[in-house]
Structure formats: structure tokens, C-alpha cells
Amino acid sequence: MSKNIFTKKINSFFFKLLFMLTLFITVVILLLSLLLYYKSEALIKTMLTTSSQQRLSQASIGAENLSDNISRFTIAIYYGNSVYSTNNLLENPLIDDFEKYNIINTINTSLSTTPFVYSIHMLNMRNKSYYTAGPFPVAYSEYFYDTEILEMIQKDYQNIKLIPIPRTMPVNGLPNAKRINVLSYIYFEKDSFKNSVDNVIVVNIKADSLFDIVNAYNQSTSEQSGFIIVIDKTGHVLAHPERNLFNRDISNMNFINTILTNGDKLGSFVANIDGKRNFVTYKLSDKLGWYFISLSPLDKITDAITNFRTFTLIVCILTLLFGLFLSYLISRKLYSPVANLQNTIVKLSDNNVKYYEKSNEFEVISSIYAETLKQLANFRNFKQNNLQILKQKFLMDLLNGKLPHQNTLEYKAREYGLKISIDDKLVVIVFKIDDYDNFCNRFNQNDRSLMLYAIENILDELLSKHFKCDTVSAGNDHIAALINISYIENDIIECQNLIYSTIENIQENVVKYLGFSITASISPVSSCVSDLCEAYSQALENSDYRIIKGHKSIISPTTINNTNRKLYNLPAKKIKKLTDALKLQKYEAAVTAYNEIIEQICDCHPRVIRLAVPFLFSRVCECLTLINENIFDELSIDFVELNKKLSSFETIQWVNQEFYKLFKAVCANKKDNTTENIVRKVLDLIKSNYTDPQLNSDTISSQLNLSAAYVRRVFRKATGMSISEYINEIRMEKAKELLETSDLNISDILERIGWYNTKYFFSVFKKTYGITPMEYRLRVAKQR
């Protein structure tokens, strides 16, 4: 009985849930209703714009098709090849009147198949023969009544194209003849010699045909659609429900002026026309150059909007009622799991009566859950067994800057049994394993973990003698030690000496018991635990100075401050000195030049050194590759593998050893015929390039990748003459050959042999052969 009363009393969550869902659904429906109510006019306007633009597109396509048909019909009439063709009528001077009437009657008969064509004019402008087929056919020029078209052709025939021209023409030649609205298509051929017009075909179609086509797309729509009018780009009416407006300029009307001036091909807007608001939609036909304009009365639209809004309100009210009913069903559905959970937990609890006074279901569940948590205290032993792992993770979080709240920080420091004091000043010392690649080759993964653990034990044992200390395995190749130094900070020198001596003791023990060395990097002093992340990062960065200091070194902030941090560029002169020494295979000179470069590099930041060493190696490799085939045998050195080693070097001493080995290999690999190869290549280059005016010892040395002085010395020693003397000798021989075998003048010969100083050429030629070039040519001619 008590359980039933308890269940009925504690059900306030259901009513809260029902209230919130009802409020949410009501607000959403009201917002949507207001949105639909106030956006309905814009929505209907959008729908009307889409519908009007579709009708205008259909109307413009119909008009374009009509224009295309008339254009084809006009050309067909002009180029007909039968006896009763237009060509025969206009071009045959022997045709009699009877045949003329037959041709015109034949064309009249063809007009019955095209009811939109009113009449056809056939004009011979050369002999002024004018004929008309249509309601009032004319076969003589004396009775031709459409003088306007004659004036149009004679006045501006050069600008007339096969496009519809709106105009009003008389139906016959009587003085008070009735006039009819037409669209005229004019086709003619120009006389290219006389620059005049000969034969002209004018097809006049009823302007009402265009209106009928446009109106055909408007009759099937509702009254809200209004009507469609057509104007050209000048604002003249081409189709309008009021027929008397045909070809009238209405560009002064505001809505027409808006369409003509904005330059858009498609658009819509609201305009006041004759005191009434109209919705204007327009489309420009690029093919015809006409605007198709739809005018719809907004009063009709307003009535539709009012009806739509009324319908919207009714639908929203019905939706709201349905939403309220739906919110009740959803509330019951959502509440059911909560009620079942509450009843289940109460039944499983030891005493459910004590929860009777709780205000809601969640308080009941929370109370029972809190008691359940108390029973989980037995599982704390599991946490104690993994305390060391949690401590390591906590220390890594501190080093990485993941600091909890101060109260949590102090609590975890006590819980994990940290030896350091988080309120005192701290120093981070990073111990890095030297020659890590070799370390990984010596030990597998499990053994490496054991070695790191052994290093930690050594650190704890030796550092704890003098400092409050905690250690953490911070990476695969290094361990971080955190020590407090505040209690001895009054004597900074003594503190530094103590730290150095302790680190040296640690390094000796690691070498002694573990068989490898470690390098220590000391961070600046951090004032609080929040600065540990920066101190750890600085210690890691400082450890890169192992490149300069070497393995088993101690790197302090003082070491870093004495380093040159400026940008460094490898000295080009010293690199050239190095490469020249290698070319001459002088080992001692190469080592001296290399040491001068390395000495400057070692004054820089480690990042600069790591960039400079591969660059220096690439320059050396480039030099060796370029001169290899000229001077050296194939070197048995794997440059790719050596480059990989140099990219991951740890100390500059190791780099020096590798470079010294490379220099020895280069200098011990000299060919016996070095001089002969150089001389042979110089001779080949001169014979191949003697026509180049810029050819000299410098350009030749550059191509051989050797120094110019060395090449000049070797060449003179081997040939007994200088390179320039040999070049002149080759050019003199070629000049003599051209004088013997060709009729070229001296300037052309000089151009072919690469000689640019004429006076000097004459001097050298006479000195070499004892006569001038012209005398030599005459002597050769006489001998022939």
C-alpha cells in the first residue's frame, strides 16, 4: 500500500515534461504561423513571377519561331527556281504581262498556306519594276502604292537586315485607302560593283498575328495573370490589347522606362499604371530584340493573399490543437522509462519508505545512486595498484601544461605521493640517451623499457640525496627529472655546482651499469608549477645543443646564452676553397678549409647547424659529381646512405669523422692520366666552340668545373702555348680555309670564326702567314 502511495505522489517530472513540450510546440507553431502569414504575399509574388516568366518564355519562343518561318519563307520566295519564281519575274526582260499575272497569281496561291502573311512586294530597283502579291495585287510600277518601303530601301539600304520592321502601310493605291499594321521582312542582294540594290523581296505579315501568338499563351491562365504586351528596344509597341497603340512610342511611361534603362534581360517589379498597382514581369528576346511584358493587377493578388492568410490561420489553429494532443502522448512516452527506472530502483533498495519525502523522481534516483557509490570504495585497491602509472600520467600532464584546478592539483599531488613541492621553485632536467639509433639496434622494445626504468631508478637514488625529486619517462629517448631548488637558492653557485656534480655522477653510473651514455639538459628555473610546461620545452630545445657539446655533456641555460642566434650563410669563398682542394686532391688543405667552416657553424643555433651540414654535404657531393669523370675513378661511397646518416646526426664530432673519411676516399682515388684528360677536353671544347666570340680560358674552365688558373697551367705545360694562343691558331686555320674555298668577304669570315676585331685579325694573319688575307686569296686564285 505504501508503494502505491509513493508512486502516485512522486510524479512531478511528468507534469514538467508535459508543460515544456506543450510550450515548445506552441511557440514553434505560432512562429511558423506568423512567418507564413507575413511571408504569404512574397511567396505568392514569387509564384506569380515564375508563372509569368514561363508564359513570357513561351510567348517569346512562339514569336521567334514565327520570325524564323517568315525569314525562311522570304528567302525561299526570293530564290525560287521555277518558271513562276520571283527571279523570273524580276530578271527576265522578255516576260509579257500575261506571264507576270500568272506568276503573281501563283504567289497569291502560295499565300493561302501562310495566313499570317498579308502581302509580298517584289521590287527591281534597277529598272523600277514593282509588283505586289496579296489582297490588292499590282503588276505595274505606276500602281505601286507602298512608297514608304521604297523610301526606306533607297535611304538606308545598307543597314537593313532580315528582321521584322513594324510599320503601318496602305492596303491599296487609293487616296483615302485604309492602312494596316504589319511587320515587314526585307531581303535583297547588293550589286558589289555599283554598291547598290537590285532585287528586293518584302514580306509583310499582319501585326495581329504576333498579338494572336502572344495572346494564345495568356488565354489559358487565370484572371490574375493580366495581359502581355510586346515592345522593341526603343519603346515602340508591337503587340497590345489596344490595337490602336501599334508602333506607338510608349517609352515615356514609367514602367516602360524602367525596363528599358535597367539593362536586365529578365526581371519583375511593382508599378503604378493608370492609378492601379500592377505586378510587372518582363523578358528580353535576344534573337528579336523585343521585350515581352506581362502586367498583372495586384488587386487580384491581394484578394488571393487574404484568402491564403485566412486558410493559413485555420490550418495553424488545427495544427496547434493536434500539437497539444501530440505533446501529451510524447510526454507519456518519455516519462515511462523514468517511472519504470524509479520503481525498479526503489524495489531494489533496502528501504523504500525513507524516500517518501523526496520532491521528485530524480531526487529519489540520485539518493539511491549516492548510496551505491559508497559501496564502490572496495575498488580503491585497484587504483592503488596502478598508482605509479597514474603518477607518471599526472607528471606528464604537468609537463605538457594540462593543469587542473588548484585544489585538484594539491589533492592529486598528495594522492600520488609527489616528492616535489608544487609551491616551490622547480628545475626540469632532461636526460637524453646518446646514439639512440644504436640503442634501438641493441635492445628490443621490452629491453628499452627496462633500460628507461633503470635510468629512472638511478636518477631517483642520486638526485634524492640532495633535492626533492620526481622522475617521469617523457619519451622514447629521454627521461625528465623535476627537482626543487628553493631551499638552496641563496647560494646560486653552490646550487649549480651541486647539480653539475650530481649529473656527472648519474652519467658515470649509467655508463658503468647500463653500457651507454646520456646527455643532460637543464632548464631555467620556473617560479611555480604552472611554468613547468615552458621549462620542459626549453630543456628539450636546449638538448639539441648536444650537437655542439657532444655525447655525455651537460647543457645549461648559460651555454645557450653564449650561442650566436643570428642567421648564418655558408661562406662561399671557404666552400670554394674546400672544393678546390678536393679537385687538387689535397687532403690537408681540404680538412683545413672544412674545419674553418665547421668552426663558424658551431657558433650558431642547433637548428642552423642541422640545416647547414646537409647543405654543405650537398655542395661537396655536387662538386664531386661534376668532376668525377674528369679527374676521379668511380668512388665506392654510398652518398645516399651517407646523406641519411648526416640528416639524423647527434653530434658535430660524428659529422667531422664522416667528412674526414669522405675526403680521404676522394684524395686517395686519383687517375694517372688526369692532365691528359684535362688537355684533351680543352682541345675538344676549343674545336667545337671556336666560333663563339666569348670563348676563353674562363668559360672553358667553367664548363670543366675546374679553376681557370689550374686549367691554364696544365694546358701550357702540356702544349707549350696558352689557351688563347691555341684558340687564335684554330681560328687562323679556319679563316685560311674559308679564303681558299669560298667567296665570302672578310667580315663574314670573321663572323664565322668568332673573331670580332678586324684590325687585330689582319695583324695576326700577316704575322702568321707573312701576307695579308687578300694577298693570300689572290695567290690561291693564281695557283688555280
Side-chain angles (χ1 to χ4, degrees):
M1 182 68 182
S2 61
K3 285 187 178 181
N4 293 334
I5 296 174
F6 170 77
T7 304
K8 290 180 181 179
K9 181 174 181 63
I10 306 178
N11 57 3
S12 61
F13 175 71
F14 169 75
F15 297 106
K16 291 180 180 179
L17 186 61
L18 177 62
F19 173 77
M20 295 301 295
L21 282 175
T22 301
L23 180 62
F24 173 77
I25 291 175
T26 302
V27 170
V28 170
I29 292 176
L30 287 176
L31 290 176
L32 291 176
S33 301
L34 292 173
L35 182 64
L36 288 173
Y37 187 86
Y38 289 106
K39 293 293 183 179
S40 57
E41 182 174 353
L43 181 63
I44 291 179
K45 285 183 179 180
T46 302
M47 294 170 61
L48 182 59
T49 299
T50 303
S51 174
S52 299
Q53 289 177 353
Q54 184 177 3
R55 289 187 297 109
L56 292 177
S57 295
Q58 293 173 347
S60 66
I61 291 172
E64 289 171 1
N65 290 337
L66 173 64
S67 179
D68 290 341
N69 290 335
I70 295 300
S71 298
R72 288 192 290 270
F73 177 81
T74 303
I75 295 173
I77 288 293
Y78 185 86
Y79 288 104
N81 56 9
S82 66
V83 176
Y84 298 103
S85 66
T86 303
N87 284 335
N88 190 27
L89 178 64
L90 296 176
E91 296 292 337
N92 190 352
L94 301 178
I95 189 170
D96 57 22
D97 292 340
F98 179 76
E99 288 180 343
K100 291 180 180 179
Y101 282 111
N102 285 338
I103 292 173
I104 292 174
N105 287 333
T106 301
I107 296 174
N108 277 333
T109 302
S110 66
L111 292 182
S112 62
T113 62
T114 53
F116 43 83
V117 178
Y118 175 72
S119 65
I120 299 175
H121 296 333
M122 296 154 286
L123 315 174
N124 188 319
M125 305 302 291
R126 186 175 61 254
N127 55 26
K128 297 184 179 180
S129 297
Y130 312 135
Y131 307 95
T132 299
F136 299 92
V138 176
Y140 295 98
S141 58
E142 296 82 18
Y143 299 102
F144 187 74
Y145 50 87
D146 194 359
T147 57
E148 181 186 8
I149 201 71
L150 294 176
E151 295 174 356
M152 186 182 302
I153 295 170
Q154 293 170 350
K155 183 178 180 180
D156 195 24
Y157 73 90
Q158 293 183 344
N159 296 322
I160 294 177
K161 300 178 182 178
L162 190 58
I163 57 174
I165 301 173
R167 65 193 189 92
T168 302
M169 63 172 283
V171 298
N172 53 46
L174 299 177
N176 296 320
K178 180 182 176 182
R179 301 183 71 83
I180 185 170
N181 298 330
V182 295
L183 297 171
S184 297
Y185 289 76
I186 303 175
Y187 184 79
F188 60 89
E189 289 184 335
K190 296 179 183 178
D191 188 333
S192 59
F193 295 97
K194 298 179 180 180
N195 194 22
S196 61
V197 177
D198 288 338
N199 299 331
V200 180
I201 293 295
V202 181
V203 177
N204 303 302
I205 69 168
K206 301 172 185 177
D208 291 342
S209 300
L210 176 61
F211 178 80
D212 293 339
I213 289 175
V214 172
N215 198 40
Y217 293 99
N218 198 44
Q219 289 174 349
S220 60
T221 58
S222 64
E223 189 178 359
Q224 296 175 2
S225 301
F227 57 92
I228 297 175
I229 65 174
V230 182
I231 63 171
D232 61 16
K233 289 185 177 181
T234 63
H236 287 77
V237 176
L238 301 176
H240 198 283
E242 297 179 23
R243 308 298 175 89
N244 61 332
L245 293 179
F246 176 80
N247 205 22
R248 183 175 297 181
D249 185 3
I250 60 171
S251 59
N252 58 344
M253 300 181 70
N254 290 334
F255 77 99
I256 297 295
N257 185 53
T258 300
I259 294 172
L260 295 176
T261 56
N262 63 12
D264 294 335
K265 295 181 179 181
L266 186 68
S268 60
F269 57 93
V270 177
N272 195 333
I273 304 173
D274 296 333
K276 296 181 180 180
R277 294 173 69 243
N278 281 264
F279 190 75
V280 182
T281 308
Y282 63 94
K283 180 183 185 302
L284 174 64
S285 171
D286 291 330
K287 195 168 187 179
L288 298 174
W290 295 348
Y291 283 95
F292 292 77
I293 305 170
S294 173
L295 302 178
S296 302
L298 272 180
D299 293 336
K300 303 292 183 180
I301 300 175
T302 306
D303 293 340
I305 292 172
T306 303
N307 295 333
F308 179 78
R309 286 177 172 175
T310 303
F311 175 77
T312 301
L313 289 176
I314 295 172
V315 170
C316 290
I317 291 172
L318 294 176
T319 305
L320 179 60
L321 295 176
F322 176 76
L324 296 176
F325 174 73
L326 187 64
S327 67
Y328 175 79
L329 296 180
I330 294 174
S331 300
R332 294 295 303 175
K333 188 69 176 178
L334 294 176
Y335 177 74
S336 179
V338 177
N340 293 335
L341 177 62
Q342 172 190 275
N343 293 333
T344 302
I345 290 178
V346 170
K347 289 178 182 179
L348 294 175
S349 64
D350 296 332
N351 186 3
N352 55 38
V353 178
K354 64 182 179 181
Y355 303 117
Y356 183 81
E357 299 299 327
K358 301 298 180 183
S359 61
N360 58 57
E361 299 88 336
F362 289 102
E363 286 190 8
V364 174
I365 296 172
S366 298
S367 299
I368 298 174
Y369 182 71
E371 286 193 5
T372 304
L373 289 178
K374 293 179 182 178
Q375 298 176 7
L376 297 178
N378 295 330
F379 293 97
R380 290 183 179 177
N381 292 333
F382 174 79
K383 184 176 180 180
Q384 291 296 327
N385 294 334
N386 295 276
L387 187 62
Q388 183 61 28
I389 297 174
L390 295 175
K391 178 182 177 181
Q392 291 278 307
K393 184 180 182 304
F394 176 67
L395 288 173
M396 279 305 304
D397 288 342
L398 295 181
L399 292 177
N400 292 326
K402 299 177 182 178
L403 296 177
H405 189 270
Q406 181 65 26
N407 295 333
T408 305
L409 179 64
E410 294 174 355
Y411 168 75
K412 289 192 174 184
R414 292 192 301 270
E415 183 181 15
Y416 297 140
L418 296 186
K419 299 175 185 177
I420 60 173
S421 173
I422 59 176
D423 297 326
D424 291 339
K425 294 182 179 180
L426 292 162
V427 169
V428 178
I429 306 175
V430 172
F431 292 89
K432 256 190 176 179
I433 298 172
D434 294 332
D435 199 0
Y436 185 70
D437 290 339
N438 184 42
F439 175 78
C440 292
N441 293 331
R442 288 176 59 191
F443 305 105
N444 58 32
Q445 181 66 41
N446 292 331
D447 291 342
R448 291 199 292 271
S449 299
L450 290 174
M451 290 297 173
L452 290 174
Y453 182 72
I455 296 173
E456 283 192 70
N457 288 335
I458 294 174
L459 295 178
D460 282 333
E461 181 180 351
L462 298 180
L463 286 173
S464 298
K465 292 180 180 180
H466 309 286
F467 309 96
K468 293 180 181 180
C469 168
D470 280 299
T471 61
V472 56
S473 181
N476 294 329
D477 64 340
H478 67 278
I479 293 172
L482 289 70
I483 62 173
N484 288 124
I485 62 168
S486 57
Y487 67 96
I488 57 172
E489 65 180 353
N490 293 330
D491 193 341
I492 297 176
I493 297 178
E494 181 182 349
C495 175
Q496 291 177 346
N497 293 335
L498 183 58
I499 293 175
Y500 271 76
S501 62
T502 305
I503 292 174
E504 289 174 353
N505 193 13
I506 290 171
Q507 290 174 329
E508 291 173 358
N509 278 271
V510 169
V511 172
K512 179 179 179 181
Y513 295 108
L514 302 181
F516 54 85
S517 64
I518 57 175
T519 296
S521 174
I522 307 171
S523 76
V525 178
S526 59
S527 59
C528 59
V529 72
S530 60
D531 296 333
L532 270 181
C533 178
E534 184 177 353
Y536 172 60
S537 299
Q538 188 64 50
L540 272 180
E541 183 178 350
N542 293 349
S543 66
D544 288 340
Y545 283 86
R546 179 174 59 179
I547 295 174
I548 303 171
K549 305 292 288 184
H551 289 157
K552 199 181 174 182
S553 58
I554 301 175
I555 303 167
S556 66
T558 306
T559 305
I560 312 307
N561 294 333
N562 294 332
T563 302
N564 182 10
R565 292 179 175 267
K566 293 183 180 180
L567 294 176
Y568 174 75
N569 293 319
L570 286 173
K573 292 183 178 179
K574 293 184 178 180
I575 291 178
K576 187 175 185 305
K577 181 179 177 182
L578 171 61
T579 56
D580 287 345
L582 291 175
K583 292 173 186 177
L584 297 174
Q585 296 181 285
K586 295 181 179 180
Y587 174 75
E588 297 297 335
V591 170
T592 302
Y594 169 79
N595 288 338
E596 291 176 358
I597 297 171
I598 290 299
E599 184 178 352
Q600 289 186 358
I601 292 177
C602 289
D603 289 337
C604 300
H605 193 276
R607 285 194 295 269
V608 176
I609 299 175
R610 290 197 176 277
L611 293 173
V613 168
F615 180 77
L616 177 61
F617 178 69
S618 67
R619 293 297 302 274
V620 172
C621 289
E622 179 182 352
C623 170
L624 298 181
T625 302
L626 290 174
I627 68 174
N628 188 46
E629 62 181 30
N630 297 321
I631 299 179
F632 303 116
D633 288 322
E634 191 68 28
L635 294 173
S636 58
I637 298 173
D638 189 344
F639 289 98
V640 177
E641 184 63 27
L642 182 56
N643 185 48
K644 289 181 180 178
K645 290 181 180 180
L646 286 172
S647 63
S648 59
F649 66 91
E650 290 184 358
T651 66
I652 203 68
Q653 292 84 354
W654 183 90
V655 174
N656 293 341
Q657 293 174 5
E658 294 300 322
F659 270 102
Y660 294 158
K661 290 179 184 177
L662 177 61
F663 296 161
K664 285 183 179 179
V666 170
C667 294
N669 208 6
K670 184 176 182 181
K671 285 184 179 179
D672 295 332
N673 60 344
T674 300
T675 301
E676 294 178 4
N677 281 338
I678 293 175
V679 173
R680 176 176 52 80
K681 288 185 175 291
V682 171
L683 294 175
D684 291 342
L685 285 172
I686 293 173
K687 291 177 181 179
S688 301
N689 301 281
Y690 70 90
T691 59
D692 182 6
Q694 304 300 324
L695 184 66
N696 53 40
S697 59
D698 291 332
T699 58
I700 292 172
S701 302
S702 176
Q703 293 186 51
L704 295 177
N705 294 292
L706 298 172
S707 69
Y710 176 72
V711 172
R712 285 194 293 267
R713 183 170 66 253
V714 168
F715 188 85
R716 180 177 285 278
K717 184 177 180 181
T719 63
M721 65 174 66
S722 67
I723 292 176
S724 61
E725 289 173 346
Y726 186 76
I727 293 173
N728 288 343
E729 182 178 302
I730 293 295
R731 286 173 174 168
M732 285 297 108
E733 290 178 0
K734 296 297 179 181
K736 186 177 71 169
E737 181 181 341
L738 290 173
L739 288 170
E740 294 174 356
T741 60
S742 71
D743 295 331
L744 297 173
N745 56 38
I746 298 300
S747 59
D748 291 337
I749 291 174
L750 293 183
E751 184 177 351
R752 291 198 178 191
I753 66 173
W755 203 296
Y756 55 86
N757 190 326
T758 305
K759 185 176 180 180
Y760 183 58
F761 170 76
F762 277 96
S763 175
V764 174
F765 191 93
K766 186 170 183 180
K767 182 179 179 181
T768 303
Y769 299 108
I771 57 176
T772 65
M774 295 306 298
E775 291 173 345
Y776 181 80
R777 173 170 277 177
L778 291 173
R779 177 184 294 178
V780 172
K782 288 180 180 180
Q783 291 175 356
R784 290 178 182 174

